[in-house]
Amino acid sequence: MNKLDYQKAAERTCPPLDTPAMDHTHMIMGILDEWYETKDEISNMESTGPDAKENIIKELGDVFWYVANYCRMFKIDFTNGRDIGMAYDTIAVKLIGIHKKELAYGKDVVWEEVNYLMQGILYWLDLTCELLDVNQSDVFERNIKKVTARFPEKFDANLAINKDESNE
């Protein structure tokens, strides 16, 4: 599965919230939260043993799900990552600041800045997959399989809160 096919498939399970600002904030919070879960799995690779790579693939899928939907919302090229000279965490925190001001103060988002920062996020995700020898297509396919099992029709908040991971 390529990035554009994945992005389209990920959209099916993206819940619309009350306002665009809430949607944006939800996505960027997920981008940082899931990245930290991925970093935890990478940090624990030696102690986790044979399940380590599988856990990393699951977490990377969750990060990509948020990134794909965020890029779709803002019509950002999901395939265009590049090194912008900042760490992933720094980029994500800058994006959180942008959307905090949008949500809390009604400040307009400067889309050129968001596009630039997202190129950096995509670069780090691409690099992480490359360094860990993880096939992105595999990450995408497993993630879509998981969210489709969890949400057979469409996103459902009750199923998200009370998820049954044994079916995934």
PDB file of all heavy atoms in Angstrom, residues 1 33 35-36 44 61 72 76 82 85 98 101 112 115 123 135 141 149 152 164:
ATOM      1  N   MET A   1       0.863  -1.177   0.000  1.00  0.00           N
ATOM      2  CA  MET A   1       0.000   0.000   0.000  1.00  0.00           C
ATOM      3  C   MET A   1       0.904   1.231   0.000  1.00  0.00           C
ATOM      4  O   MET A   1       1.808   1.337   0.815  1.00  0.00           O
ATOM      5  CB  MET A   1      -0.890  -0.034   1.248  1.00  0.00           C
ATOM      6  CG  MET A   1      -1.789   1.164   1.403  1.00  0.00           C
ATOM      7  SD  MET A   1      -2.881   1.090   2.865  1.00  0.00           S
ATOM      8  CE  MET A   1      -4.037  -0.169   2.393  1.00  0.00           C
ATOM      9  N   ASP A  33       1.538  12.208  20.867  1.00  0.00           N
ATOM     10  CA  ASP A  33       1.278  11.119  21.808  1.00  0.00           C
ATOM     11  C   ASP A  33       1.729   9.772  21.241  1.00  0.00           C
ATOM     12  O   ASP A  33       2.429   9.006  21.905  1.00  0.00           O
ATOM     13  CB  ASP A  33      -0.216  11.088  22.143  1.00  0.00           C
ATOM     14  CG  ASP A  33      -0.589   9.927  23.032  1.00  0.00           C
ATOM     15  OD1 ASP A  33       0.060   9.741  24.084  1.00  0.00           O
ATOM     16  OD2 ASP A  33      -1.545   9.193  22.682  1.00  0.00           O
ATOM     17  N   TRP A  35       3.822   9.244  18.818  1.00  0.00           N
ATOM     18  CA  TRP A  35       5.268   9.250  18.621  1.00  0.00           C
ATOM     19  C   TRP A  35       5.972   8.836  19.914  1.00  0.00           C
ATOM     20  O   TRP A  35       6.934   8.061  19.890  1.00  0.00           O
ATOM     21  CB  TRP A  35       5.748  10.624  18.164  1.00  0.00           C
ATOM     22  CG  TRP A  35       7.240  10.730  18.058  1.00  0.00           C
ATOM     23  CD1 TRP A  35       8.070  11.450  18.858  1.00  0.00           C
ATOM     24  CD2 TRP A  35       8.086  10.078  17.100  1.00  0.00           C
ATOM     25  NE1 TRP A  35       9.378  11.312  18.462  1.00  0.00           N
ATOM     26  CE2 TRP A  35       9.418  10.461  17.382  1.00  0.00           C
ATOM     27  CE3 TRP A  35       7.846   9.205  16.050  1.00  0.00           C
ATOM     28  CZ2 TRP A  35      10.500  10.005  16.636  1.00  0.00           C
ATOM     29  CZ3 TRP A  35       8.929   8.755  15.300  1.00  0.00           C
ATOM     30  CH2 TRP A  35      10.235   9.149  15.605  1.00  0.00           C
ATOM     31  N   TYR A  36       5.496   9.340  21.056  1.00  0.00           N
ATOM     32  CA  TYR A  36       6.121   8.958  22.324  1.00  0.00           C
ATOM     33  C   TYR A  36       5.914   7.483  22.625  1.00  0.00           C
ATOM     34  O   TYR A  36       6.794   6.821  23.176  1.00  0.00           O
ATOM     35  CB  TYR A  36       5.659   9.862  23.471  1.00  0.00           C
ATOM     36  CG  TYR A  36       6.566  11.057  23.575  1.00  0.00           C
ATOM     37  CD1 TYR A  36       6.310  12.209  22.855  1.00  0.00           C
ATOM     38  CD2 TYR A  36       7.730  11.014  24.336  1.00  0.00           C
ATOM     39  CE1 TYR A  36       7.168  13.294  22.897  1.00  0.00           C
ATOM     40  CE2 TYR A  36       8.597  12.087  24.387  1.00  0.00           C
ATOM     41  CZ  TYR A  36       8.312  13.220  23.670  1.00  0.00           C
ATOM     42  OH  TYR A  36       9.180  14.280  23.713  1.00  0.00           O
ATOM     43  N   ASN A  44      12.721   0.165  24.318  1.00  0.00           N
ATOM     44  CA  ASN A  44      12.601  -1.125  24.998  1.00  0.00           C
ATOM     45  C   ASN A  44      12.857  -2.316  24.072  1.00  0.00           C
ATOM     46  O   ASN A  44      12.534  -3.447  24.436  1.00  0.00           O
ATOM     47  CB  ASN A  44      11.218  -1.259  25.632  1.00  0.00           C
ATOM     48  CG  ASN A  44      11.005  -0.245  26.730  1.00  0.00           C
ATOM     49  OD1 ASN A  44      11.912   0.052  27.485  1.00  0.00           O
ATOM     50  ND2 ASN A  44       9.805   0.296  26.813  1.00  0.00           N
ATOM     51  N   GLY A  61       2.180   2.738  12.901  1.00  0.00           N
ATOM     52  CA  GLY A  61       0.905   2.816  12.189  1.00  0.00           C
ATOM     53  C   GLY A  61      -0.010   3.847  12.802  1.00  0.00           C
ATOM     54  O   GLY A  61      -0.691   4.602  12.085  1.00  0.00           O
ATOM     55  N   ARG A  72      -4.323  15.360   5.193  1.00  0.00           N
ATOM     56  CA  ARG A  72      -5.535  15.417   4.368  1.00  0.00           C
ATOM     57  C   ARG A  72      -6.353  16.654   4.706  1.00  0.00           C
ATOM     58  O   ARG A  72      -6.821  17.364   3.818  1.00  0.00           O
ATOM     59  CB  ARG A  72      -6.384  14.158   4.571  1.00  0.00           C
ATOM     60  CG  ARG A  72      -7.710  14.181   3.825  1.00  0.00           C
ATOM     61  CD  ARG A  72      -8.591  13.009   4.205  1.00  0.00           C
ATOM     62  NE  ARG A  72      -8.727  12.791   5.623  1.00  0.00           N
ATOM     63  CZ  ARG A  72      -9.531  13.482   6.439  1.00  0.00           C
ATOM     64  NH1 ARG A  72     -10.265  14.479   5.964  1.00  0.00           N
ATOM     65  NH2 ARG A  72      -9.610  13.185   7.719  1.00  0.00           N
ATOM     66  N   ILE A  76      -1.948  18.924   2.636  1.00  0.00           N
ATOM     67  CA  ILE A  76      -0.490  18.859   2.652  1.00  0.00           C
ATOM     68  C   ILE A  76      -0.078  17.564   1.965  1.00  0.00           C
ATOM     69  O   ILE A  76      -0.690  16.518   2.178  1.00  0.00           O
ATOM     70  CB  ILE A  76       0.041  18.891   4.107  1.00  0.00           C
ATOM     71  CG1 ILE A  76      -0.274  20.241   4.751  1.00  0.00           C
ATOM     72  CG2 ILE A  76       1.528  18.584   4.156  1.00  0.00           C
ATOM     73  CD1 ILE A  76      -0.021  20.292   6.247  1.00  0.00           C
ATOM     74  N   ARG A  82      10.933  16.087   4.251  1.00  0.00           N
ATOM     75  CA  ARG A  82      12.306  16.568   4.052  1.00  0.00           C
ATOM     76  C   ARG A  82      12.867  17.052   5.381  1.00  0.00           C
ATOM     77  O   ARG A  82      12.121  17.453   6.285  1.00  0.00           O
ATOM     78  CB  ARG A  82      12.381  17.662   2.999  1.00  0.00           C
ATOM     79  CG  ARG A  82      11.757  18.976   3.371  1.00  0.00           C
ATOM     80  CD  ARG A  82      11.859  19.970   2.185  1.00  0.00           C
ATOM     81  NE  ARG A  82      11.240  21.220   2.540  1.00  0.00           N
ATOM     82  CZ  ARG A  82      11.903  22.292   2.950  1.00  0.00           C
ATOM     83  NH1 ARG A  82      13.208  22.280   3.050  1.00  0.00           N
ATOM     84  NH2 ARG A  82      11.258  23.407   3.251  1.00  0.00           N
ATOM     85  N   GLY A  85      15.836  20.396   9.720  1.00  0.00           N
ATOM     86  CA  GLY A  85      16.824  20.765  10.725  1.00  0.00           C
ATOM     87  C   GLY A  85      16.285  20.866  12.143  1.00  0.00           C
ATOM     88  O   GLY A  85      16.881  21.545  12.975  1.00  0.00           O
ATOM     89  N   ILE A  98       0.753  26.224  17.564  1.00  0.00           N
ATOM     90  CA  ILE A  98      -0.065  26.820  16.504  1.00  0.00           C
ATOM     91  C   ILE A  98      -1.539  26.507  16.732  1.00  0.00           C
ATOM     92  O   ILE A  98      -2.402  27.389  16.663  1.00  0.00           O
ATOM     93  CB  ILE A  98       0.398  26.314  15.117  1.00  0.00           C
ATOM     94  CG1 ILE A  98       1.758  26.915  14.767  1.00  0.00           C
ATOM     95  CG2 ILE A  98      -0.642  26.617  14.039  1.00  0.00           C
ATOM     96  CD1 ILE A  98       2.440  26.250  13.573  1.00  0.00           C
ATOM     97  N   LYS A 101      -3.267  28.147  19.836  1.00  0.00           N
ATOM     98  CA  LYS A 101      -3.685  29.529  19.559  1.00  0.00           C
ATOM     99  C   LYS A 101      -4.912  29.560  18.657  1.00  0.00           C
ATOM    100  O   LYS A 101      -5.777  30.425  18.816  1.00  0.00           O
ATOM    101  CB  LYS A 101      -2.519  30.302  18.928  1.00  0.00           C
ATOM    102  CG  LYS A 101      -1.380  30.526  19.906  1.00  0.00           C
ATOM    103  CD  LYS A 101      -0.149  31.074  19.230  1.00  0.00           C
ATOM    104  CE  LYS A 101       0.989  31.143  20.241  1.00  0.00           C
ATOM    105  NZ  LYS A 101       2.280  31.361  19.598  1.00  0.00           N
ATOM    106  N   GLU A 112       1.411  27.887   5.387  1.00  0.00           N
ATOM    107  CA  GLU A 112       2.757  27.668   4.881  1.00  0.00           C
ATOM    108  C   GLU A 112       3.674  27.142   5.995  1.00  0.00           C
ATOM    109  O   GLU A 112       4.509  26.273   5.755  1.00  0.00           O
ATOM    110  CB  GLU A 112       3.344  28.968   4.285  1.00  0.00           C
ATOM    111  CG  GLU A 112       2.617  29.473   3.045  1.00  0.00           C
ATOM    112  CD  GLU A 112       1.349  30.269   3.350  1.00  0.00           C
ATOM    113  OE1 GLU A 112       1.070  30.570   4.526  1.00  0.00           O
ATOM    114  OE2 GLU A 112       0.629  30.573   2.382  1.00  0.00           O
ATOM    115  N   ASN A 115       2.673  23.482   6.691  1.00  0.00           N
ATOM    116  CA  ASN A 115       3.172  22.628   5.621  1.00  0.00           C
ATOM    117  C   ASN A 115       4.667  22.361   5.800  1.00  0.00           C
ATOM    118  O   ASN A 115       5.128  21.222   5.692  1.00  0.00           O
ATOM    119  CB  ASN A 115       2.888  23.261   4.261  1.00  0.00           C
ATOM    120  CG  ASN A 115       3.332  22.388   3.113  1.00  0.00           C
ATOM    121  OD1 ASN A 115       3.006  21.212   3.057  1.00  0.00           O
ATOM    122  ND2 ASN A 115       4.090  22.961   2.203  1.00  0.00           N
ATOM    123  N   TYR A 123       9.585  13.503   7.241  1.00  0.00           N
ATOM    124  CA  TYR A 123      10.994  13.105   7.117  1.00  0.00           C
ATOM    125  C   TYR A 123      11.391  12.174   8.256  1.00  0.00           C
ATOM    126  O   TYR A 123      12.005  11.127   8.040  1.00  0.00           O
ATOM    127  CB  TYR A 123      11.887  14.354   7.112  1.00  0.00           C
ATOM    128  CG  TYR A 123      13.344  14.047   7.348  1.00  0.00           C
ATOM    129  CD1 TYR A 123      14.147  13.576   6.312  1.00  0.00           C
ATOM    130  CD2 TYR A 123      13.917  14.223   8.610  1.00  0.00           C
ATOM    131  CE1 TYR A 123      15.491  13.282   6.530  1.00  0.00           C
ATOM    132  CE2 TYR A 123      15.249  13.932   8.831  1.00  0.00           C
ATOM    133  CZ  TYR A 123      16.029  13.458   7.805  1.00  0.00           C
ATOM    134  OH  TYR A 123      17.360  13.166   8.023  1.00  0.00           O
ATOM    135  N   ASN A 135       9.161  -1.776   6.677  1.00  0.00           N
ATOM    136  CA  ASN A 135       8.528  -1.472   5.401  1.00  0.00           C
ATOM    137  C   ASN A 135       7.267  -0.648   5.647  1.00  0.00           C
ATOM    138  O   ASN A 135       6.352  -1.102   6.333  1.00  0.00           O
ATOM    139  CB  ASN A 135       8.197  -2.788   4.692  1.00  0.00           C
ATOM    140  CG  ASN A 135       7.570  -2.585   3.346  1.00  0.00           C
ATOM    141  OD1 ASN A 135       6.530  -1.943   3.211  1.00  0.00           O
ATOM    142  ND2 ASN A 135       8.191  -3.155   2.337  1.00  0.00           N
ATOM    143  N   GLU A 141      -0.645  -1.261   5.842  1.00  0.00           N
ATOM    144  CA  GLU A 141      -1.603  -2.355   5.715  1.00  0.00           C
ATOM    145  C   GLU A 141      -2.046  -2.880   7.076  1.00  0.00           C
ATOM    146  O   GLU A 141      -3.230  -3.128   7.308  1.00  0.00           O
ATOM    147  CB  GLU A 141      -1.011  -3.476   4.866  1.00  0.00           C
ATOM    148  CG  GLU A 141      -0.910  -3.097   3.399  1.00  0.00           C
ATOM    149  CD  GLU A 141      -0.126  -4.089   2.559  1.00  0.00           C
ATOM    150  OE1 GLU A 141       0.176  -5.203   3.045  1.00  0.00           O
ATOM    151  OE2 GLU A 141       0.187  -3.746   1.402  1.00  0.00           O
ATOM    152  N   ALA A 149     -10.901  -3.532  11.751  1.00  0.00           N
ATOM    153  CA  ALA A 149     -11.435  -4.506  12.713  1.00  0.00           C
ATOM    154  C   ALA A 149     -12.089  -3.790  13.893  1.00  0.00           C
ATOM    155  O   ALA A 149     -13.149  -4.205  14.377  1.00  0.00           O
ATOM    156  CB  ALA A 149     -10.312  -5.425  13.198  1.00  0.00           C
ATOM    157  N   PRO A 152     -15.762  -1.425  12.151  1.00  0.00           N
ATOM    158  CA  PRO A 152     -16.181  -2.061  10.895  1.00  0.00           C
ATOM    159  C   PRO A 152     -16.935  -1.130   9.940  1.00  0.00           C
ATOM    160  O   PRO A 152     -16.780  -1.243   8.730  1.00  0.00           O
ATOM    161  CB  PRO A 152     -17.086  -3.195  11.355  1.00  0.00           C
ATOM    162  CG  PRO A 152     -16.782  -3.406  12.794  1.00  0.00           C
ATOM    163  CD  PRO A 152     -16.258  -2.112  13.322  1.00  0.00           C
ATOM    164  N   ASP A 164     -11.447  -3.773  21.934  1.00  0.00           N
ATOM    165  CA  ASP A 164     -11.124  -5.172  22.150  1.00  0.00           C
ATOM    166  C   ASP A 164      -9.972  -5.509  21.233  1.00  0.00           C
ATOM    167  O   ASP A 164     -10.172  -5.848  20.069  1.00  0.00           O
ATOM    168  CB  ASP A 164     -12.356  -6.043  21.851  1.00  0.00           C
ATOM    169  CG  ASP A 164     -12.080  -7.529  22.020  1.00  0.00           C
ATOM    170  OD1 ASP A 164     -10.977  -7.889  22.507  1.00  0.00           O
ATOM    171  OD2 ASP A 164     -12.952  -8.330  21.644  1.00  0.00           O
TER     172      ASP A 164
END
